[in-house]
Amino acid sequence: MKLLVCLALLTGVCGGSRVLMVLPLGSASHKNILTPLAEALGARGHDVVIASLHASSAANSSRSYTDLVAADAWETIRKVTGGFDVFKMREASGGRDVNSEVMKKIVRNLPEYCDAFLRDSGVQSAWATKPDLILLPAFMNECGLALVHKFKAPFIYVTTSGLTPWTADLLGNPENPAYIPNQYLSYGAHMSLWERTFNTIVRLASPYLRRQLVLNRLDGVVQRFLGDPTVSLTEVEKNVSLVMVNSHYSLGHPRPLMPNVVEVGAMHCRPARPLQDAQLRHFLDSSPVPVVLFSLGSHIRSEQLPTAVLHSLVAAFGRLPYRIVWKWEGGAIADLPSNVMTRAWLPQQDVLGHERVRAFLTHGGLLSLQEAVYHNVPIVGLPLMSDQPLNVRQAVTLGLGVGLTLETLTEKAVYQAIRSVVEKEDYRRRVEERSQLLRHQDSLPLDRAVYWTEHILRFGGGQHLRSAAVDMPLYQYLLLDVAGVLVTVAVLLLLLLWSALRALMRLLVRTSKKVAANLVTALRTHVKLQ
């Protein structure tokens, strides 16, 4: 009997808690932020499930979590958006603003995407058992709040970039627009008057716009799916326990953070492992010259590059006195130079961590930039969409590399940019400095993420971390009522002082008049006596 009890207890301990991670619209790179945490929690005995649009890569075949894939929902999104071909969308926008085209395709069809995900047969098992905790990205993935409402489970928001204004508001985290630039603006911490003015407007407007364009439009979808007309995602998300932010001050701007706002930037970064691809390993190990890595990330495909851009890149690579490793997903490239090796998939961190790799030609995705800094590799940024232009701008400002634009990209520009980054020691020195800052933390970002996840699990939520500022009306938070009291008191004191002075002046005038009158009377009396 004692043995059975011990076995039951052991099973309970090993089973851990049920953790559900939901990405209704997240890209494969967004999932890559969460998979290290899922692996770590699974290794600690928790039952972890990731429900997303994308299957984990074959490299994660030994994963310690359950992978649920909404394949039909992804096909729905692909049909509507054309697979988010950034180059076609850039062409459709006349080369002006690809981000507006992306946002149109997302926001316009967001309810349809959400409904497809919730009803997808590939993720239906996520509804079978109540999770103890839910994690989901904080922007355009609010459809996942349907599970939070259904199970009344505590949940954690994970921001795939910096701390968004609305998540800061949910937690009462201070965000002064005087020195904290909005993550969607290309401003630094030291802003001009005009920049601070516009930054303030965007700061105040963005939570309202998100509520109108996202939350309010998803309410109906979730209400119909759950058969509950009372659902309000705006109210559901107010119960967020914690926010994990994919940022770190070494690559951004220092700012105040509440205890329930935890920076886990570079959580996915790790030391390089030996390359399993024998040809690729030999290509790098045997190189007598520096090696350059070129990748546009997990979402943008190099084979979609415009013909003119592709020709410029191939020509520039052929002129460079280096070897090039290129993440290329298409067929054979005509006239590919002998110093270039292509692969449809690359273990990016293992390549970046190789001693011969000296530069990274990248689209500027945040995960790629974090990996580059972590592995001491300067960058040549070629931003294409989303937050990539801002990421590259920040990297250039920090001296971590140089930036290119698709509109001005030429063979000469690519050639000069890569040679400059490889041969100028200043870039590598600055990257090493930032790498030291990124690595030298009181704890590893992944360990921090595990700790706080288990902290929320242990205490059933994060109410004890909740700031009183969350429940304050704006006039109290900004101390407008206190300012009103102080101004009123000051005005009353000034009025009282003014009244006292007027009374004193009148008294003095009356007294002086009386004294003068007495003096005149005395003088007259004296004259008569004479």
Side-chain angles (χ1 to χ4, degrees):
M1 189 67 181
K2 289 182 178 178
L3 178 61
L4 290 174
V5 171
C6 288
L7 287 174
L9 290 173
L10 184 60
T11 302
V13 172
C14 291
S17 302
R18 298 181 63 84
V19 179
L20 174 62
M21 301 180 180
V22 191
L23 294 89
L25 192 61
S27 68
S29 62
H30 293 164
K31 184 178 180 180
N32 290 339
I33 296 175
L34 291 174
T35 49
L37 178 57
E39 289 278 8
L41 291 172
R44 291 173 65 86
H46 299 288
D47 182 7
V48 183
V49 175
I50 301 183
S52 71
L53 299 172
H54 310 280
S56 296
S57 67
N60 288 330
S61 57
S62 61
R63 58 183 176 267
S64 58
Y65 59 88
T66 301
D67 200 30
L68 302 181
V69 183
D72 292 339
W74 175 235
E75 281 305 311
T76 298
I77 294 172
R78 284 174 60 87
K79 288 177 182 177
V80 174
T81 64
F84 285 108
D85 187 327
V86 63
F87 303 105
K88 287 184 179 179
M89 286 189 283
R90 180 179 291 273
E91 183 179 348
S93 69
R96 293 184 300 274
D97 186 6
V98 68
N99 278 347
S100 64
E101 291 295 317
V102 173
M103 291 305 295
K104 285 178 186 177
K105 290 181 179 292
I106 293 177
V107 174
R108 183 184 300 150
N109 303 288
L110 192 57
E112 181 181 352
Y113 301 156
C114 179
D115 186 70
F117 180 85
L118 294 176
R119 300 181 188 280
D120 196 288
S121 59
V123 298
Q124 287 309 299
S125 61
W127 298 90
T129 307
K130 178 180 179 178
D132 299 300
L133 179 68
I134 296 174
L135 287 82
L136 67 154
F139 187 43
M140 293 301 175
N141 285 270
E142 292 85 352
C143 180
L145 291 170
L147 289 126
V148 176
H149 177 80
K150 169 71 174 178
F151 294 117
K152 301 298 186 290
F155 79 100
I156 294 174
Y157 263 148
V158 182
T159 71
T160 53
S161 53
L163 183 64
T164 53
W166 44 90
T167 47
D169 290 345
L170 286 171
L171 300 174
N173 196 83
E175 190 170 70
N176 191 332
Y179 65 94
I180 298 175
N182 187 280
Q183 65 184 106
Y184 302 110
L185 299 177
S186 57
Y187 297 159
H190 303 284
M191 292 174 274
S192 66
L193 175 60
W194 163 246
E195 288 174 338
R196 281 184 283 117
T197 301
F198 191 65
N199 189 52
T200 300
I201 294 171
V202 173
R203 170 63 184 87
L204 296 174
S206 53
Y208 172 79
L209 291 174
R210 169 183 175 260
R211 187 164 58 251
Q212 298 300 318
L213 297 176
V214 179
L215 295 176
N216 291 353
R217 295 177 66 227
L218 293 181
D219 278 347
V221 176
V222 176
Q223 288 169 3
R224 288 189 295 272
F225 178 77
L226 296 178
D228 183 355
T230 67
V231 176
S232 169
L233 299 186
T234 300
E235 293 302 314
V236 172
E237 74 168 358
K238 288 181 180 179
N239 295 315
V240 62
S241 296
L242 188 90
V243 173
M244 293 185 187
V245 187
N246 184 34
S247 66
H248 188 257
Y249 65 83
S250 61
L251 299 177
H253 308 287
R255 57 171 302 167
L257 298 175
M258 299 295 291
N260 50 1
V261 179
V262 182
E263 282 197 313
V264 293
M267 175 173 68
H268 69 293
C269 292
R270 55 167 177 77
R273 298 166 183 158
L275 292 166
Q276 300 303 307
D277 184 329
Q279 288 184 321
L280 176 61
R281 183 173 64 249
H282 178 74
F283 187 75
L284 293 172
D285 289 346
S286 65
S287 178
V289 295
V291 177
V292 177
L293 171 63
F294 174 35
S295 171
L296 295 179
S298 59
H299 182 68
I300 303 172
R301 300 173 65 86
S302 293
E303 63 176 333
Q304 297 171 338
L305 284 163
T307 302
V309 173
L310 181 60
H311 287 165
S312 296
L313 289 168
V314 171
F317 292 164
R319 289 178 55 199
L320 287 168
Y322 316 130
R323 288 187 178 180
I324 314 294
V325 176
W326 185 350
K327 182 177 177 291
W328 170 264
E329 304 84 3
I333 301 174
D335 301 320
L336 186 69
S338 59
N339 64 328
V340 180
M341 172 179 280
T342 63
R343 285 291 186 269
W345 179 86
L346 287 168
Q348 186 163 288
Q349 295 205 64
D350 300 332
V351 175
L352 284 171
H354 195 280
E355 61 180 358
R356 300 304 298 157
V357 175
R358 298 296 176 82
F360 183 18
L361 177 54
T362 172
H363 64 311
L366 186 56
L367 298 191
S368 290
L369 286 179
Q370 290 172 347
E371 291 172 10
V373 173
Y374 182 87
H375 292 286
N376 293 324
V377 179
I379 67 108
V380 175
L382 180 61
L384 300 172
M385 61 179 288
S386 188
D387 61 343
Q388 295 162 16
L390 305 183
N391 296 337
V392 171
R393 179 186 180 279
Q394 178 68 4
V396 171
T397 300
L398 294 175
L400 309 180
V402 300
L404 298 171
T405 64
L406 199 65
E407 293 77 14
T408 59
L409 188 140
T410 62
E411 173 191 339
K412 180 179 179 181
V414 175
Y415 177 83
Q416 291 180 340
I418 293 177
R419 291 214 65 166
S420 174
V421 165
V422 171
E423 296 176 11
K424 289 186 178 179
E425 192 60 30
D426 281 352
Y427 291 118
R428 191 167 185 85
R429 177 177 55 79
R430 292 192 185 104
V431 171
E432 287 177 351
E433 290 172 354
R434 290 290 162 173
S435 182
Q436 288 295 319
L437 288 172
L438 183 62
R439 289 167 173 259
H440 188 70
Q441 301 185 38
D442 57 347
S443 60
L444 294 176
L446 182 56
D447 291 344
R448 207 154 50 239
V450 169
Y451 168 81
W452 282 105
T453 301
E454 293 185 333
H455 180 90
I456 298 301
L457 282 167
R458 177 183 294 273
F459 295 101
Q463 287 298 312
H464 56 289
L465 300 171
R466 186 181 177 91
S467 167
V470 176
D471 303 312
M472 287 182 176
L474 187 62
Y475 73 87
Q476 286 187 12
Y477 181 76
L478 297 177
L479 293 175
L480 297 181
D481 52 345
V482 173
V485 170
L486 294 178
V487 169
T488 301
V489 170
V491 169
L492 289 175
L493 288 174
L494 287 173
L495 289 174
L496 182 61
L497 180 60
W498 172 248
S499 299
L501 287 174
R502 286 189 64 186
L504 180 60
M505 289 298 295
R506 288 174 181 173
L507 178 61
L508 290 175
V509 169
R510 287 197 300 268
T511 302
S512 62
K513 286 181 178 179
K514 188 174 181 180
V515 170
N518 292 337
L519 181 59
V520 170
T521 302
L523 288 173
R524 286 176 178 173
T525 303
H526 179 71
V527 170
K528 288 179 179 180
L529 290 174
Q530 289 291 333

